[in-house]
């Protein structure tokens, strides 16, 4: 009866005790998605370079280069979202791999260099700037 009354009074969800943690978290996630819908921005642009999330490419003018979905898109997405700011290496590593302990620090450098090569093929130089002992900035 309490559950019926709460829904009739405008409640979105009713959780009874004892509750299951996974169900509680799922309901909270569902309510947060309804309250704060994410924007579906599929293109980000900075300094003439456009990141296309829907097909994992970057473009400048008519030229376009394909990126690997796993890391290159995620790195550029993070940098585009923080354009103008220095992104610490540790923050990027944590964003990419969720845990700094199991990743070789050189893995990020290799991915950044691959992105730079792809940008260079399109004639874009110095798009990703390394800030010594701080991180990267676009």
């Amino acid at each position: 009866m309490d559950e019926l009354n709460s829904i009739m009074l405008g409640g979105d969800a009713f959780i009874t005790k004892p509750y299951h943690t996974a169900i509680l978290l799922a309901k909270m996630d569902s309510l947060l998605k309804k309250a704060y819908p994410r924007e579906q921005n599929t293109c980000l642009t900075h300094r003439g370079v456009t990141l296309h999330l829907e097909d994992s490419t970057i473009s400048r003018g008519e030229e376009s280069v394909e990126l690997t979905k796993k890391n290159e898109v995620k790195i550029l997405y993070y940098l585009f979202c923080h354009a103008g700011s220095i992104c610490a290496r540790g923050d990027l590593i944590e964003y990419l791999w969720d845990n700094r302990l199991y990743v070789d620090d050189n893995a990020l450098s290799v991915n950044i260099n691959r992105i730079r090569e792809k940008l260079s093929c399109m004639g874009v130089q110095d798009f990703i700037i390394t800030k010594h002992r701080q991180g990267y900035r676009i």
Side-chain angles (χ1 to χ4, degrees), residues 3-121:
E3 185 175 357
L4 178 60
N5 284 335
S6 68
I7 292 172
M8 288 175 60
L9 292 172
D12 287 343
F14 189 89
I15 300 172
T16 58
K17 290 182 183 177
Y19 61 87
H20 192 272
T21 307
I23 292 172
L24 174 66
L25 292 173
K27 286 187 177 192
M28 288 171 52
D29 187 50
S30 175
L31 290 172
L32 287 171
K33 284 180 183 175
K34 288 178 189 174
Y36 304 104
R38 292 184 182 200
E39 292 182 20
Q40 295 299 320
N41 191 2
T42 58
C43 294
L44 301 169
T45 303
H46 182 69
R47 289 179 30 205
V49 176
T50 303
L51 172 64
H52 304 274
L53 297 172
E54 71 278 355
D55 62 355
S56 300
T57 60
I58 50 173
S59 65
R60 179 177 170 226
E62 297 296 316
E63 296 182 68
S64 181
V65 176
E66 203 168 309
L67 301 168
T68 61
K69 288 185 181 187
K70 178 93 173 153
N71 290 329
E72 293 174 357
V73 171
K74 285 179 80 174
I75 290 169
L76 281 173
Y77 178 76
Y78 191 87
L79 292 173
F80 271 78
C81 287
H82 298 88
S85 302
I86 298 172
C87 300
R89 287 180 60 84
D91 293 344
L92 270 166
I93 288 170
E94 193 169 317
Y95 174 72
L96 289 169
W97 292 286
D98 295 328
N99 193 337
R100 300 178 196 200
L101 300 176
Y102 301 106
V103 178
D104 180 13
D105 189 48
N106 192 40
L108 179 59
S109 299
V110 169
N111 281 287
I112 293 286
N113 285 333
R114 286 182 185 154
I115 294 169
R116 284 181 173 148
E117 287 173 12
K118 291 178 179 185
L119 288 165
S120 180
C121 289

